[in-house]
Amino acid sequence: MMHKHKNLRKTFYDFDRESFDQLAEKYKWPSFRVDQLIGWQEKHIQSVDEMTNISIKMREQLKEEMHWPPIKIVQVETSEKEPVKKYLLQLQDGNIIETVSMHYNYGHSICLTMQVGCRMGCHFCASAKLGLNRNLTAGEMLAQIAIIAYAEKSRISHAVLMGIGEGLDNYDETITFLQRLRSDDGISMSLRNVTLSTCGLAPEIKRLAHENLPVTLAISLHSSNQDTRNKLMPIAKHYTIPEIISAGDYYFKVTGRRVTYEYTLFKDVNDHPQEAENLANLLKNKNVHVNLIPANEISGSDWTRPDQKTIDKFQEVLLKNQINSTIRFSAGQDITAACGQLRRQNA
Ligand code: SF4
């Protein structure tokens, strides 16, 4: 299958304690060596030779067993307006992904890529243009955090799974990533600081509810009208708006975590006050939050941002109906690091 990550060697961050234990058995390493390796993962090292408390012989064995470096920085673009950097990172097979680092007053946040490309085909999204090449492994998701923490000498406290790809379309690796992200052996990040975005894969949303991973779920709705949503996002034809909202309700019922609905406002497409009224009716009396995101420019795209008056009017309708909502301008627009602007690239 095209989207499987076959023929890849494991990298350092693909190993968890259990798989290091297996290596220890194979090479007859004493068990404290596994603690040392986990300790080096926590230091986000990028080269085998940084592990100075490990013998040269064992380092050679580690070179045999895994691909080094785990991931490479190809380019960094720094925003002139905000504390935001966009990293172009190269995977072992030459594929290049984009990862965004954002410093806020509440912490250091990273916007992660989950797939090389995406097959969801949302018409307004730069990532969709080349389709899906392959899924990332959980280790490749962790490696994005490791290399940015290492490069910026900073502890990453928050993560948003909103970069390239649909995390729930790469379900198993995304779940493994979240488990390892939370683990004391890993980055020990509180999953309350993690937001997982989905274009609305209703069955996977319900499945996620039972994984005991208390992330904030952000469902990209983008329209309250089925025909409009069909035009924006091909996935809309598979799961209707009521099915998606019912999955969101289920997620809240099982996890107690309030669901966020993402709504990108496109001029003359989904920004009419009647759409806001419909949205308010769909979400009435539910414990939800709506993020209104004025569209970002994507070169070669017809999708544009409404004027401020239209944006404000849309929110006014929601607030009048007691629907919590915020207007969120996404960071990093000047370096095309904002929502919908990231794209898969080839080496
Ligand atoms: S918006 Fe998300 S789900 Fe849709 S094509 Fe882009 S990356 Fe994929």
Side-chain angles (χ1 to χ4, degrees):
M1 292 272 289
M2 173 186 76
H3 57 274
K4 293 275 183 204
H5 36 78
K6 60 183 181 185
N7 301 329
L8 293 180
R9 296 184 71 206
K10 279 189 166 188
T11 70
F12 187 53
Y13 293 97
D14 282 308
F15 283 79
D16 59 6
R17 183 172 284 279
E18 202 184 324
S19 44
F20 277 140
D21 279 341
Q22 286 163 5
L23 278 191
E25 209 177 306
K26 177 175 170 185
Y27 289 107
K28 311 266 182 286
W29 300 334
S31 60
F32 73 87
R33 291 294 189 198
V34 171
D35 290 329
Q36 288 177 324
L37 291 168
I38 295 283
W40 286 113
Q41 279 188 338
E42 286 164 2
K43 290 193 168 65
H44 311 304
I45 56 140
Q46 300 298 314
S47 147
V48 73
D49 291 318
E50 288 178 80
M51 294 189 263
T52 44
N53 60 357
I54 283 179
S55 69
I56 304 235
K57 184 177 166 207
M58 186 172 154
R59 284 188 232 165
E60 288 305 318
Q61 291 163 338
L62 290 167
K63 283 181 196 166
E64 278 290 306
E65 289 291 336
M66 52 195 84
H67 179 90
W68 292 90
I71 199 163
K72 272 195 276 193
I73 296 177
V74 177
Q75 192 184 323
V76 187
E77 287 178 62
T78 305
S79 168
E80 288 178 2
K81 298 180 179 160
E82 300 148 297
V84 175
K85 286 183 183 179
K86 181 172 81 173
Y87 288 79
L88 263 57
L89 301 175
Q90 188 173 45
L91 305 170
Q92 63 169 288
D93 57 1
N95 277 305
I96 292 179
I97 56 168
E98 300 188 344
T99 307
V100 183
S101 162
M102 299 159 286
H103 290 269
Y104 294 116
N105 50 13
Y106 57 77
H108 185 180
S109 181
I110 184 165
C111 179
L112 291 166
T113 278
M114 289 75 62
Q115 296 179 302
V116 180
C118 186
R119 61 175 178 162
M120 296 296 129
C122 303
H123 295 304
F124 50 84
C125 172
S127 305
K129 303 256 182 280
L130 289 172
L132 176 67
N133 177 294
R134 71 168 173 89
N135 284 327
L136 259 58
T137 64
E140 287 172 322
M141 296 181 212
L142 288 163
Q144 294 171 59
I145 295 184
I147 199 163
I148 292 176
Y150 185 88
E152 298 190 12
K153 296 185 177 45
S154 168
R155 186 183 157 268
I156 292 171
S157 56
H158 293 67
V160 288
L161 281 69
M162 286 190 184
I164 301 170
E166 160 63 54
L168 295 185
D169 187 43
N170 182 11
Y171 190 88
D172 292 344
E173 294 297 325
T174 299
I175 296 300
T176 303
F177 162 73
L178 292 170
Q179 287 163 342
R180 290 190 57 204
L181 190 63
R182 172 172 65 180
S183 159
D184 288 343
D185 278 345
I187 291 161
S188 300
M189 189 183 289
S190 162
L191 293 186
R192 293 182 187 276
N193 293 350
V194 177
T195 300
L196 169 64
S197 172
T198 174
C199 62
L201 303 184
E204 283 76 14
I205 291 172
K206 289 185 178 169
R207 199 173 154 201
L208 178 69
H210 294 282
E211 300 284 1
N212 193 23
L213 295 166
V215 295
T216 299
L217 182 68
I219 301 178
S220 298
L221 200 61
H222 302 326
S223 180
S224 57
N225 175 293
Q226 189 65 46
D227 287 340
T228 306
R229 195 164 193 271
N230 290 351
K231 284 182 200 137
L232 287 167
M233 313 166 77
I235 194 69
K237 295 181 187 127
H238 294 269
Y239 306 110
T240 63
I241 292 172
E243 280 172 324
I244 292 168
I245 291 178
S246 156
D249 290 348
Y250 185 83
Y251 187 83
F252 175 68
K253 196 172 117 204
V254 173
T255 65
R257 304 282 294 151
R258 184 176 75 166
V259 171
T260 296
Y261 286 92
E262 306 277 333
Y263 194 109
T264 304
L265 285 161
F266 299 105
K267 185 174 186 309
D268 298 332
V269 176
N270 62 356
D271 60 347
H272 195 275
Q274 188 55 50
E275 275 252 24
E277 291 285 355
N278 294 347
L279 184 62
N281 285 335
L282 285 167
L283 301 179
K284 213 166 193 112
N285 300 323
K286 296 185 192 297
N287 188 1
V288 296
H289 187 86
V290 176
N291 257 337
L292 297 173
I293 309 159
N296 297 308
E297 291 294 317
I298 303 174
S299 58
S301 158
D302 295 337
W303 309 94
T304 54
R305 172 179 294 186
D307 59 35
Q308 192 59 44
K309 211 170 129 206
T310 308
I311 296 167
D312 290 342
K313 175 74 193 155
F314 199 96
Q315 187 187 33
E316 212 176 276
V317 173
L318 295 181
L319 295 176
K320 186 188 79 194
N321 285 283
Q322 278 87 47
I323 308 285
N324 288 311
S325 92
T326 41
I327 298 172
R328 178 168 68 81
F329 287 90
S330 42
Q333 290 173 47
D334 61 327
I335 51 169
T336 63
C339 293
Q341 293 182 316
L342 298 183
R343 61 179 73 228
R344 161 192 152 200
Q345 311 198 15
N346 292 314

